[in-house]
């Protein structure tokens, strides 16, 4: 909600309230899409259920196209968008830990809380592990501080790295997403699993 | 399957359009002539001398004063903490990061309003944020802050408060030599700086 706070259109408290409402909405959509089922989520990695891929990539390309058009019409200034800075080493290490946890546990952090809210016990175990990981990370921070901050790249975007126009990259991303959807649906037929 | 086709038939054409649009049009933020005229008419770019004096006295780190006069004029007299970016150098690459940033509040000033306004219009049109103009420029600054005229006693309290503030600011900012008190007055203590209520920043300047 960056520009709204900076320009004193809304207060930080209102911002938090809006964030809470958006969070509830997000959780509701996750749950109603079936993302509180660890089997559905893990199905992504085994090929029998690619809902996760389809939902997240559809959301990503819709948001991407929406923002580019808003910028084109002058409704939105893209320079206001906060881009998380890239620390390459920690992104790779963290991504690996997250991926392994995802396959083993069947949740990512967001969906774990979503599943916990409807009383799933496996999610409770997962959230326990998540808290443990947070404690290990924070308490052992001096040990991995150097690794955590290594290879700082600033906040680059993919089209800048590839040196192609933003719109062309967006089109490529859309085509890649649909190719993946097609492969995903092919895999669902190839590796069917009984209804759960 | 069908849903995928529906989504594809919407998103792929949109992707082709966005890929075909020239990059600079999607990247740069420009105001239409009408929008710029509206801002000029409403004068949203102006910041009063009192507000700047207040910020200078409070050593507000978010303030960045930019003198757009020539270097000679800048060397003769300038506001405390200001930097000199002559109008002719405004578009040079050297100053780009300085002018195009969203952190500090850039306030252009010149002798009057003219040059500062020109600098503001150029930067506004380039889409740079947080750029403002010192209303009335240095001439008005000298008149109101450096040599404030005492209000007539019948005037309202806030006029007197304003005068007290200006007198205090004038002393604090190294001016005020011409505001000599009458000789029969005993050597007075430094006039207190009456802090004005923090004004909200000019809206609509983003």
């Amino acid at each position: 909600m960056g520009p709204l706070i900076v320009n004193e259109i809304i207060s930080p408290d209102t911002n938090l309230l809006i964030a809470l409402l958006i969070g509830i909405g997000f959780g509701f959509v996750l749950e109603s899409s079936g993302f509180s089922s660890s089997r559905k989520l893990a199905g992504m990695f085994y090929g029998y259920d690619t809902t996760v891929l389809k939902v997240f990539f559809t959301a990503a390309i819709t948001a991407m196209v929406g923002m580019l058009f808003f910028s084109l019409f002058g409704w939105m200034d893209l320079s206001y968008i906060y881009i998380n800075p890239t620390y390459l080493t920690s992104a790779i290490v963290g991504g690996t830990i997250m991926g392994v946890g995802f396959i083993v546990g069947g949740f990512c952090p967001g969906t774990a809380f979503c599943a916990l809210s409807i009383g799933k016990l496996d999610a409770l175990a997962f959230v326990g592990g998540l808290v443990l990981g947070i404690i290990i990370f924070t308490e052992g921070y001096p040990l991995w501080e150097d690794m955590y901050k290594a290879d700082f790249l600033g906040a680059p975007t993919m089209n800048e790295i590839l040196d192609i126009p933003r719109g062309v990259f967006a089109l490529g991303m859309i085509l890649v997403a649909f190719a993946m959807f097609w492969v995903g649906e092919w895999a669902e037929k190839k590796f069917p699993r009984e209804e759960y | 399957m069908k849903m995928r086709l529906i989504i594809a038939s919407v998103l792929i054409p949109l992707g082709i359009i966005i890929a075909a649009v020239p990059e600079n049009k999607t990247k740069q933020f420009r105001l239409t002539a009408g929008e710029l005229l509206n801002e000029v008419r409403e004068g949203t770019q102006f910041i009063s001398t009192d507000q700047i004096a207040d910020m200078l006295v409070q050593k507000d780190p978010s303030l960045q004063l930019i003198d757009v006069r020539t270097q000679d004029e800048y060397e003769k007299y300038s506001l405390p903490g200001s930097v000199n970016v002559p109008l002719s150098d405004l578009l040079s690459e050297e100053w780009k990061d300085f002018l195009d940033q969203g952190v500090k509040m850039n306030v252009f000033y010149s002798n009057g309003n003219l040059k500062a306004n020109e600098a503001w219009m150029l930067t506004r049109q380039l889409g740079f944020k947080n750029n403002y103009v010192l209303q009335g420029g240095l001439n008005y600054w000298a008149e109101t802050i450096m040599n404030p005229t005492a209000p007539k006693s019948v005037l309202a309290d806030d006029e007197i408060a304003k005068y007290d503030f200006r007198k205090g600011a004038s002393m604090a900012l190294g001016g005020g030599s011409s505001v000599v008190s009458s000789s029969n007055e005993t050597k007075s203590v430094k006039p207190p700086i009456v802090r004005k209520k923090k004004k909200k920043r000019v809206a609509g300047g983003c």
Side-chain angles (χ1 to χ4, degrees), chain A residues 82-96:
Chain A
Y82 174 75
I83 302 172
N84 218 21
T86 302
Y87 295 88
L88 196 61
T89 311
S90 50
I92 293 170
V93 174
T96 309

Side-chain angles (χ1 to χ4, degrees), chain A residues 37-189:
Chain A
S37 159
S38 56
R39 274 177 293 193
K40 198 175 192 72
L41 295 168
M44 177 64 235
F45 300 99
Y46 299 101
Y48 62 82
D49 192 330
T50 55
T51 312
V52 178
L53 176 103
K54 286 185 279 190
V55 168
F56 278 115
F57 263 90
T58 307
I61 57 179
T62 307
M64 177 180 68
V65 168
M67 289 206 292
L68 289 177
F69 270 93
F70 276 26
S71 161
L72 178 66
F73 299 151
W75 296 346
M76 185 182 201
D77 188 349
L78 286 186
S79 61
Y80 274 118
I81 302 289
Y82 174 75
I83 302 172
N84 218 21
T86 302
Y87 295 88
L88 196 61
T89 311
S90 50
I92 293 170
V93 174
T96 309
I97 296 172
M98 157 104 183
V100 170
F102 203 155
I103 299 173
V104 173
F107 291 111
C108 68
T111 54
F113 282 98
C114 191
L116 187 61
S117 69
I118 58 164
K120 294 245 169 122
L121 286 176
D122 56 344
L124 185 64
F126 190 92
V127 171
L130 205 150
V131 172
L132 199 66
I134 292 171
I135 293 169
I136 293 170
F137 176 78
T138 46
E139 291 301 318
Y141 184 71
L143 291 175
W144 21 79
E145 187 177 1
D146 286 343
M147 187 266 285
Y148 182 66
K149 289 180 176 166
D151 296 319
F152 175 64
L153 302 181
T157 55
M158 279 307 287
N159 69 302
E160 282 167 10
I161 292 170
L162 300 172
D163 199 20
I164 54 171
R166 206 155 51 188
V168 174
F169 176 78
L171 177 63
M173 198 67 221
I174 293 169
L175 295 176
V176 166
F178 281 103
M180 285 196 299
F181 295 169
W182 182 77
V183 172
E185 287 184 3
W186 168 83
E188 281 175 1
K189 283 183 196 130

